[in-house]
Amino acid sequence: MDIIFTGFDQIFHLQNLLLMAGGLVIGIVIGAIPGLNVPLAVALALPFTYHMPPLAGLSMLIGIYKGGTHGGSISAILINVPGAPAAAATAIDGYALARQGKAGKALKLSIYASVFGEILSDIALILAAAQLAKIATTFGPAEFFALGLFALTIIGFVSGDSLIKGVIAGCMGLLLATVGMDPLESMPRMHFGFYELTGGLHFIAMIIGLFAISEALIQIENSLRTTASRTVIEISQKGDDNRVTWAEFKMVFPTMLRSAPLGIFIGAIPGIGSSIAAFLAYGMAKNMSKQPEMFGKGALEGVAAAESANNGVCGATFIPLLTLGIPGDVITAIMLGAFMVHGLIPGPTLFTEQGGFVSAFMIGMLITSCMHLFVALIGLRGFIQAIKLKRSLLFPLVIVLCITGTFVAGGGQFPIYVMLGMGILGYLMTKFGFPIPPLLIGFILSPMIEDGLRQALLISDGDLAIFYGRPIAMGFLVMTAALVIWITWKHLRTQR
Amino acid sequence: MARVDIIAGALLCVFGIVIYFAAPLTVGEYNEVGLTPWSFPSALAAAIAVLSALLCFNGWRNRNRENSTEKAEEEGSRSASTPHIIAAIVVMGLYIIGMPLFGYLLATAATLLVLSVIYGNRRWLGLFIVAAVSPPVLFFFFQEVMIILLPEASLF
């Protein structure tokens, strides 16, 4: 109970609350602009948090994450172009509603459903995290090695069409993390004569390069290809078309109540992501609806299901991150980096050593969700204008912010060169069909796997029984093997 | 994609082999029994080499399945945007080098201007306004709000 009070005490500061609101605004605006995405927004904001207190910086990033996940629905509803992949399911009925002159109704319903999903997800995080962390405190090097291997199987889910390319990208990430100081022997390795590399690759520079610079380079092609501006459907001024009536809210509430837990469940499993949650919830809502024929033609339940599920993922992705230190998706992988930048290592020890901080962070998530409702409703008309912003003006600014941000966080020229190199690598990877997320996941999990393996073998004097003799480690290894076989079989079947 | 896979696979395979042999050379000495500081990097380099060879082989096997229209479209879009992308990378490089020489304000304004043109913006008035207004706003934010020093011109 004391820890909860400490949490309240730490989070209720004007600076934290303003940064949450600011993060929400930035997130919604960036989410609403097609071409800009949530990972890019979080990566771009990361260096700005470098000089802030950890809780303040992370609160802002949480705001961006939640706002960005919902922001994608604005462009999905108004121009039928999802600002984020997770909003693709929202576009199906949202755009149909907008064409019927009910854009305001669809937009407001998407806000209510998103906030509902987020609040339930945050409550699930608060209830589940501490219990899971309690189990995780018993982990030793063997368990962490097995857990790291298990977490690597996320690569199978985020690899897209080519599993082999995903695995190569994952190996590249694991390899890049070995640049710098060897963790056990404290000897520099893989620096190839560059003194600056003995400290390892600068994490912020790497994230900004891979997610923001590469995206900015890809958008050059899109800018040159598309010159026509999109028509934005205006919000009707008619009362009932511009709001969700109480009767409509009562009608869609059971759908939200079913979809949010689905999003939470999917969010808690590493690797699946909010797009799948949104489509699964949409399908479930259609199957359970009394009017399934209305789906695709402007069903309110369709918008409510997709939005409450995709935002329901947000809080739940932090369950594996905070308790086990494994990222559930790309955004939480970047968030893990944000924790590490502030000297916090997510995992069971975070709960035992920084209980007050964890409590404040979780309460902060809940406050951000409540704030989301007001920020989104008050700023709605302004956020709609964001869709009209031109890529040719936005991306030069993004590039300048990336370079300035890396300079600020890295404290010199070398990290900026690393960022540029990573940007070119990310661009080439995209052009050659290699997914970027596995590289980041490999980079993050590499120390857990290498340290776990080497420490376990040192403890056991080289005896492999340390892995299969301990039930939790063995359990993770069996699950890893089963998942690898299943993923490989699934990809081989798809190829045929 | 088959041709791309062959090229990417071959390049990565060479990279993996080079790193496999170079990794032990980057560590001066070791005293650990069993796994050494280079065991993990070497194993990963070997894995990259093997998987890349497999990717290359898959690409070679599927080389005849490629749709000729898709191939032509892909090559067309690539050749049209390649000079712009190279130009953007060069501008970014010059910005990094130029920042300490010309100062943050001047270097940022010039970079914004050139990058906007590369992105296809030809509305000169808007473009000049953004280039003139954004750098002082960013400079003020970092220097006065976040209390972080940005590079000042060393040439003038």
Side-chain angles (χ1 to χ4, degrees):
Chain A
M1 206 62 186
D2 279 351
I3 282 178
I4 295 171
F5 284 123
T6 313
F8 271 107
D9 193 42
Q10 284 185 21
I11 197 73
F12 273 104
H13 283 277
L14 186 64
Q15 185 195 23
N16 295 345
L17 300 177
L18 286 175
L19 283 167
M20 281 174 202
L24 281 166
V25 172
I26 296 168
I28 299 173
V29 168
I30 289 188
I33 301 170
L36 295 185
N37 50 43
V38 190
L40 182 146
V42 180
L44 206 55
L46 185 52
F48 293 88
T49 70
Y50 197 67
H51 294 268
M52 294 178 190
L55 200 54
L58 290 167
S59 299
M60 188 175 96
L61 296 180
I62 287 292
I64 295 175
Y65 179 23
K66 292 192 171 193
T69 309
H70 157 245
S73 69
I74 298 176
S75 53
I77 290 168
L78 294 178
I79 55 174
N80 201 21
V81 179
T90 311
I92 304 170
D93 283 293
Y95 186 63
L97 281 164
R99 291 189 63 169
Q100 294 162 21
K102 296 173 182 170
K105 191 190 285 287
L107 286 167
K108 283 176 185 164
L109 181 61
S110 82
I111 296 172
Y112 301 144
S114 295
V115 171
F116 180 77
E118 277 172 19
I119 291 176
L120 277 197
S121 191
D122 295 338
I123 294 170
L125 167 70
I126 292 167
L127 294 177
Q131 304 308 319
L132 199 57
K134 232 181 262 175
I135 300 168
T137 46
T138 59
F139 286 12
E143 282 79 11
F144 276 114
F145 165 70
L147 174 66
L149 275 191
F150 175 68
L152 263 190
T153 56
I154 302 167
I155 287 171
F157 297 103
V158 294
S159 288
D161 296 335
S162 173
L163 180 64
I164 192 167
K165 287 181 179 175
V167 178
I168 292 173
C171 288
M172 289 284 282
L174 289 161
L175 185 67
L176 285 174
T178 63
V179 173
M181 207 63 84
D182 168 53
L184 293 190
E185 305 276 323
S186 294
M187 259 193 274
R189 62 178 176 179
M190 301 286 286
H191 55 86
F192 300 102
F194 289 95
Y195 168 74
E196 293 90 343
L197 286 178
T198 51
L201 287 170
H202 197 276
F203 189 73
I204 293 181
M206 195 172 148
I207 284 183
I208 292 181
L210 285 173
F211 289 95
I213 293 288
S214 68
E215 185 63 35
L217 292 174
I218 288 160
Q219 290 297 333
I220 291 178
E221 288 178 15
N222 296 343
S223 290
L224 297 173
R225 212 179 294 149
T226 52
T227 48
S229 58
R230 301 183 188 92
T231 316
V232 179
I233 295 177
E234 296 296 329
I235 293 183
S236 155
Q237 295 303 320
K238 270 196 264 170
D240 271 1
D241 285 347
N242 197 19
R243 67 189 179 95
V244 181
T245 63
W246 180 241
E248 285 166 340
F249 188 78
K250 271 202 299 189
M251 183 191 79
V252 298
F253 189 71
T255 306
M256 282 157 52
L257 210 55
R258 282 191 296 267
S259 307
L262 181 70
I264 294 166
F265 176 71
I266 287 173
I269 304 168
I272 302 183
S274 48
S275 308
I276 292 173
F279 276 105
L280 279 178
Y282 184 85
M284 188 172 77
K286 190 176 177 182
N287 285 335
M288 299 185 82
S289 172
K290 288 174 187 155
Q291 296 171 301
E293 69 283 356
M294 285 302 292
F295 278 71
K297 295 173 189 161
L300 288 174
E301 288 162 291
V303 175
E307 281 301 302
S308 49
N310 78 32
N311 275 63
V313 168
C314 289
T317 49
F318 282 87
I319 298 174
L321 179 74
L322 288 178
T323 56
L324 305 170
I326 54 173
D329 58 9
V330 186
I331 303 165
T332 41
I334 301 173
M335 288 295 296
L336 176 60
F339 274 85
M340 294 193 312
V341 161
H342 287 286
L344 301 160
I345 310 293
T349 48
L350 190 69
F351 284 75
T352 51
E353 290 168 11
Q354 305 268 352
F357 168 82
V358 175
S359 162
F361 179 75
M362 289 182 187
I363 295 165
M365 286 190 74
L366 203 52
I367 296 168
T368 311
S369 300
C370 299
M371 228 184 234
H372 188 170
L373 179 69
F374 301 103
V375 170
L377 283 174
I378 293 166
L380 186 57
R381 287 190 185 270
F383 298 139
I384 291 167
Q385 298 307 313
I387 302 173
K388 297 173 185 168
L389 285 172
K390 286 197 174 303
R391 258 191 290 224
S392 56
L393 274 180
L394 271 174
F395 276 99
L397 272 173
V398 166
I399 292 173
V400 163
L401 277 174
C402 288
I403 295 174
T404 312
T406 310
F407 178 84
V408 167
Q413 296 281 96
F414 193 76
I416 311 181
Y417 290 115
V418 171
M419 181 212 67
L420 189 57
M422 286 296 156
I424 297 168
L425 176 70
Y427 171 75
L428 290 175
M429 282 177 73
T430 310
K431 294 304 289 176
F432 281 82
F434 286 83
I436 298 175
L439 190 143
L440 181 64
I441 289 165
F443 186 85
I444 283 172
L445 292 173
S446 186
M448 185 192 275
I449 295 171
E450 189 188 4
D451 295 2
L453 176 67
R454 288 172 64 187
Q455 281 176 359
L457 288 177
L458 273 176
I459 293 167
S460 68
D461 214 12
D463 187 1
L464 289 173
I466 193 164
F467 297 113
Y468 57 80
R470 297 169 70 105
I472 296 177
M474 187 62 193
F476 277 126
L477 289 176
V478 169
M479 283 197 291
T480 307
L483 266 175
V484 167
I485 292 167
W486 181 71
I487 292 167
T488 313
W489 176 76
K490 207 180 78 168
H491 271 265
L492 287 175
R493 211 179 60 161
T494 321
Q495 274 186 344
R496 272 185 219 136
Chain B
M1 215 59 184
R3 204 164 60 101
V4 166
D5 286 356
I6 295 172
I7 298 167
L11 288 173
L12 281 168
C13 189
V14 172
F15 169 79
I17 293 167
V18 169
I19 295 292
Y20 179 79
F21 289 107
L25 304 176
T26 65
V27 186
E29 53 178 300
Y30 81 97
N31 53 17
E32 190 190 325
V33 181
L35 291 174
T36 65
W38 68 76
S39 306
F40 197 59
S42 294
L44 289 166
I48 290 171
V50 172
L51 288 166
S52 306
L54 199 62
L55 178 71
C56 199
F57 173 72
N58 272 347
W60 180 78
R61 219 177 45 172
N62 297 332
R63 69 195 183 283
N64 294 327
R65 281 195 212 163
E66 225 174 5
N67 185 334
S68 58
T69 326
E70 274 175 23
K71 203 168 27 178
E73 269 177 19
E74 193 184 299
E75 276 176 8
S77 81
R78 195 186 307 149
S79 58
S81 57
T82 306
H84 292 79
I85 287 159
I86 293 170
I89 293 168
V90 170
V91 170
M92 282 187 248
L94 290 175
Y95 178 46
I96 299 167
I97 298 165
M99 226 188 328
L101 297 174
F102 300 100
Y104 183 78
L105 287 174
L106 197 63
T108 305
T111 305
L112 277 175
L113 210 65
V114 180
L115 282 175
S116 300
V117 174
I118 291 172
Y119 273 90
N121 195 337
R122 296 292 180 273
R123 292 190 175 174
W124 297 102
L125 182 65
L127 208 148
F128 275 103
I129 292 172
V130 171
V133 173
S134 314
V137 170
L138 286 172
F139 193 77
F140 175 81
F141 176 76
F142 281 106
Q143 299 262 82
E144 303 300 324
V145 182
M146 297 193 74
I147 327 281
I148 296 164
L149 293 178
L150 290 174
E152 284 181 18
S154 61
L155 273 187
F156 315 119

